[in-house]
Every structure is written in structure tokens, then in C-alpha cells.
Amino acid sequence: MTADTHSVLSGLKPLSRLDHPREMIRQFTPNWFAATMGTGILALALPQVPGIGPSLKPFGEVLWFFNIALFALFAGLYGARWVMFGHEARRIFGHNTVSMFIGTIPMGLATIINGCLAFGIARFGNGIVPVAQVLWWIDVAMSLACGVLIPYLMFTRHEHSLDGMTAVWLLPVVAAEVAGASGGLLAPHLADPHAQLVTLATSYVLWAYSVPVAFGILAILILRMALHKLPHESMAASSWLALGPIGTGALGMLVLGADAPAILAAHGLADVGSVAQGIGVVAGLCLWGFGLWWLALATLITIRYWRAGVPFNLGWWGYTFPLGVYTVATFRLGTTLNLGFFGIAGTVLTVALAAMWLLVGAKTLAGAWRGNLFVSPCIATPN
């Protein structure tokens, strides 16, 4: 058998690049949950396309169910790693980069929670709302923990430098504002007025817990790229991550502002609700404009990387969720302001998101089949 033939046949064998199938568990990292973020946000964006949204909703629902299965699979694999290889799994907390991806776990869960509201109510009835509520509070707890514990490790244990900084620093911090935006979607579906108020207030706190810190990181990131230029090609997709907190921040302000008048009026705070609504619209529009600048910049950076040839890695999922949440914010601005431009812009962005999801998904499936995507850097570089 020639070397070429052996290479072809081995490529047909699952996990052929691993020494043993259990290496899939041993090498499993939270990076994989970024795939649930990208899949979930596409599912949520499809029904919002003006005109054809109702026709696309069944596809979004299928993606939501698929995303639930994907999240359950990844949770099982990562849980198994902690059970079987706990001494190695713990090393993630000392790794400068991989530890940041812990934030993808609550963000992936948030897309499933939002799907419970977007698809689950029509499919299963209002009985799914309490399930979404319980999952949301779990998501809140995880997001709060990620948002402070990972930065604490950065300040006390990790070794970082300005020239080595990338936008992955945002991942543990942004989880809280994603939970906050999800709370804005959840609150109107709750039957208890007190629960609505608690959810709304908590969501505003989550937004404030995350967005100012994320924007501080963005300021440092701009300085880093001006002084040290673009990061290594292995981090090519990280340029899109900055669009995540901007788009989520805009979406959060819009949905929370829309909730505020009715919820706060029921508690004698009608004037505050009206102010919150106005702030939500203005802040959402301003943040969308900031996101437009970063979208254009990230596009130019990506063209430069791709012209040079960029090898695929799981980081490519960074092309999807940030673009997706900015797309959903775009649709929300269109319905809030009743301006057709945002519907058209959101449709174009949805097409780009779907194309990127298909590309990255196909490459991920191929890499997962071969097994070469199961790599844990925190094992390769003990700490």
C-alpha cells in the first residue's frame, strides 16, 4: 500500500489522527462550545429576515434542536474529561488562552434559552417558559463567575503581555451581557410581575457588569494592534470577537428598553420606564454605529489574512456569533425604528452569517471526524 493510498484510507476512519479514541475526551476543551454559539445565533436570526422569516422559521427550529444536541454532547465530553482526566483538566485555569474559552459555555447555553422562547413556546406551549427561567438563572450564575474569576486568574496567575494580547480576552467578560440580553427576551414571557421586575433589574446589572469592562479591553486592543500589528494567523478570526460585545450591548439596550415601560409601570415607575425606553433606542443606535466601524475593519483584516492563507482551527467559529448578534441587533433596530434599511442590512448580514456557518461547520465536521481538532494546549504546555 502506497503512502498516498494509506493517507486516503486513514482519512475515512474516524479519529484516525488520535492515538486512541479516548484522546477525544482527554483533549476536549471549551473551545468547542463556540460552535453552539454560532449555530444558536443563526437559528435565532433566520426567522427575523423580513418577508421570508416565517418560511425560514422551521429551519431555525431545526437548528435549535440540533444546537441542543450539540451542547449536550459537548457538555458530556467535557464533563467526562473532568471525571477521567481531572488532573489535566484543571490545567486550563493556568493557560493564558484556553481559559478564556470557558466563557463560551454560558454564551452557548444562552442561545438555547432564547430558542426556548423563539421556538419552544410555539412547539411545546407556555410550559417551557419556567424551564427557560431556570436555565437563565443557571446561565447568570455561570456568567457572573466567568466574568470575575478568569480576570482574577489573569491578574494573579497568567503571564500576559501587550504584544500577545488578542480579542479572546473578551470571552469571559462578554458572557454576562449575553445573559443580560437574554433576560430582556425572557422577562415579558414571565407571568409574575415581580419576577419580571427582578429579571429586568438583573439584566441591567449584567449589562453593566460586562459592557464597560469589554469596552476597556477594546480600547487596549486597538492600542495593541496599532503598536504590534495583527496577531498570529492562528488567531485570525479573533478580530471579529470585538463585534460581539458591541452587538450584544446594542441588542441588550434595545430589548431591555422595550421591556421597561410595561414592567416598571406595573410597579409605579412609569416615568423611569419611558426614560429607559428612550435610552435603549439611542444607545442601541449608537452602539450599532460603533459596530459598523468594527465590522468594516474586521472585514479588511480578514481579507488580508485569507489572501495570505489561513489554516483552519476552531477559532474560526469566532466569525459567526459576533456577526450573528450584530445581525439580530440590526433587525431589532429595524422593527424599533420602522426603518427598512435595517431590514435590508440585516438580510445581507444573515446571508453572510449562513455562508460562514456552512463553511466553518463543514471544516469542523471534517476535522472532528479525523480527530485533528481535538487538541488541548494546556496539556502540551503544562503549568
Side-chain angles (χ1 to χ4, degrees):
M1 182 183 294
T2 66
D4 289 341
T5 303
H6 177 75
S7 176
V8 171
L9 293 179
S10 65
L12 299 176
K13 180 182 177 182
L15 305 179
S16 60
R17 301 292 179 85
L18 298 178
D19 295 335
H20 191 279
R22 69 169 173 267
E23 285 293 297
M24 179 177 64
I25 296 175
R26 179 172 176 258
Q27 302 279 354
F28 193 86
T29 61
N31 306 48
W32 285 89
F33 285 92
T36 67
M37 295 169 59
T39 302
I41 198 63
L42 176 60
L44 295 169
L46 288 176
Q48 300 186 49
V49 176
I52 61 173
S55 300
L56 295 177
K57 187 173 182 178
F59 295 99
E61 185 176 2
V62 169
L63 279 178
W64 175 59
F65 280 117
F66 173 67
N67 202 36
I68 294 173
L70 206 60
F71 189 92
L73 173 63
F74 293 167
L77 288 172
Y78 196 46
R81 185 188 184 195
W82 276 92
V83 172
M84 297 171 62
F85 306 100
H87 62 292
E88 292 180 333
R90 284 191 293 271
R91 294 179 182 174
I92 189 174
F93 298 116
H95 197 277
N96 295 357
T97 301
V98 184
S99 59
M100 305 297 168
F101 285 89
I102 294 175
T104 63
I105 300 176
M107 287 191 280
L109 178 59
T111 65
I112 293 175
I113 296 168
N114 295 341
C116 289
L117 306 173
F119 309 109
I121 293 176
R123 175 65 59 183
F124 303 110
N126 288 328
I128 200 172
V129 174
V131 176
Q133 185 180 16
V134 171
L135 290 176
W136 183 73
W137 281 110
I138 294 173
D139 193 66
V140 168
M142 290 194 296
S143 299
L144 290 172
C146 287
V148 71
L149 294 180
I150 301 304
Y152 176 77
L153 292 175
M154 294 174 67
F155 303 158
T156 61
R157 185 172 176 181
H158 296 171
E159 295 291 336
H160 292 282
S161 60
L162 183 61
D163 63 320
M165 177 196 186
T166 66
V168 297
W169 284 20
L170 292 164
L171 291 176
V173 171
V174 174
E177 65 176 283
V178 173
S182 298
L185 299 173
L186 172 64
H189 293 90
L190 300 177
D192 180 18
H194 179 71
Q196 289 184 334
L197 180 62
V198 170
T199 301
L200 179 69
T202 302
S203 297
Y204 270 113
V205 171
L206 289 167
W207 192 94
Y209 187 90
S210 171
V211 173
V213 181
F215 276 41
I217 293 173
L218 288 180
I220 300 171
L221 182 63
I222 293 172
L223 174 65
R224 175 254 177 269
M225 290 196 294
L227 296 179
H228 302 287
K229 310 312 173 192
L230 299 179
H232 187 268
E233 62 181 16
S234 63
M235 302 299 292
S238 67
S239 60
W240 286 85
L241 296 181
L243 193 60
I246 301 171
T248 307
L251 179 62
M253 281 287 96
L254 288 166
V255 296
L256 294 175
D259 294 345
I263 294 176
L264 294 179
H267 293 82
L269 297 169
D271 292 342
V272 178
S274 298
V275 172
Q277 184 179 37
I279 291 175
V281 174
V282 174
L285 188 59
C286 290
L287 287 173
W288 189 88
F290 181 28
L292 182 62
W293 178 83
W294 206 288
L295 174 66
L297 182 66
T299 300
L300 292 175
I301 291 173
T302 300
I303 292 172
R304 181 184 180 91
Y305 273 122
W306 283 21
R307 280 181 174 175
V310 182
F312 176 76
N313 58 56
L314 285 176
W316 279 36
W317 282 103
Y319 291 119
T320 57
F321 183 79
L323 176 60
V325 75
Y326 185 74
T327 300
V328 173
T330 303
F331 284 134
R332 189 75 185 202
L333 271 173
T335 56
T336 300
L337 299 175
N338 196 27
L339 290 176
F341 162 77
F342 289 105
I344 296 172
T347 301
V348 173
L349 293 173
T350 303
V351 172
L353 172 63
M356 186 57 67
W357 182 85
L358 288 170
L359 173 64
V360 179
K363 288 182 176 292
T364 300
L365 183 61
W369 179 266
R370 292 190 300 267
N372 61 294
L373 290 181
F374 295 101
V375 178
S376 178
C378 46
I379 294 178
T381 55
N383 42 71

